[in-house]
Amino acid sequence: MYRITLISPFFGKKFPANFPVRLNSLQNNSKIKFVILTDVNFSSIDNISNVQFVKTNLPALKRKIDLMLGYQSRLVNPYKLVDFKPTYGVLFNEYGKFDN
């Protein structure tokens, strides 16, 4: 069980050119679980034990936020996810235990 879980949404057409360097850095932090929510195809990326890719898209994430908060959010682009960071513990509880 990981004591730290970091949630990192990434939406776009493809991962940036330096993404393999980032993955190497994540892999070297083996005491931390990284969850990458993305609409980018990650099937060609080798499995890394502490990195979990979750296939989703922005509309699906918006629906999840709207259900949790009980109102229609104005999530029109991925950058606005920063407004919901305080809710990540509840919103993404299934990816790590955040209630203690």
Side-chain angles (χ1 to χ4, degrees), residues 28-96:
N28 288 324
N29 286 284
S30 60
K31 293 183 179 182
I32 301 172
K33 177 182 177 182
F34 298 93
V35 178
I36 301 173
L37 304 153
T38 187
D39 58 353
V40 177
N41 182 355
F42 53 85
S43 62
S44 64
I45 297 174
D46 292 336
N47 186 33
I48 301 172
S49 63
N50 63 322
V51 178
Q52 177 183 358
F53 286 93
V54 176
K55 187 72 169 172
T56 190
N57 57 43
L58 197 59
L61 197 49
K62 180 187 180 319
R63 281 190 301 277
K64 186 172 182 170
I65 289 169
D66 292 350
L67 283 172
M68 183 192 75
L69 296 177
Y71 70 89
Q72 295 293 313
S73 63
R74 294 188 182 183
L75 184 58
V76 293
N77 61 56
Y79 177 78
K80 293 305 287 176
L81 284 169
V82 72
D83 294 345
F84 299 96
K85 277 191 175 187
T87 69
Y88 278 17
V90 175
L91 188 61
F92 303 118
N93 197 43
E94 69 262 31
Y95 303 115

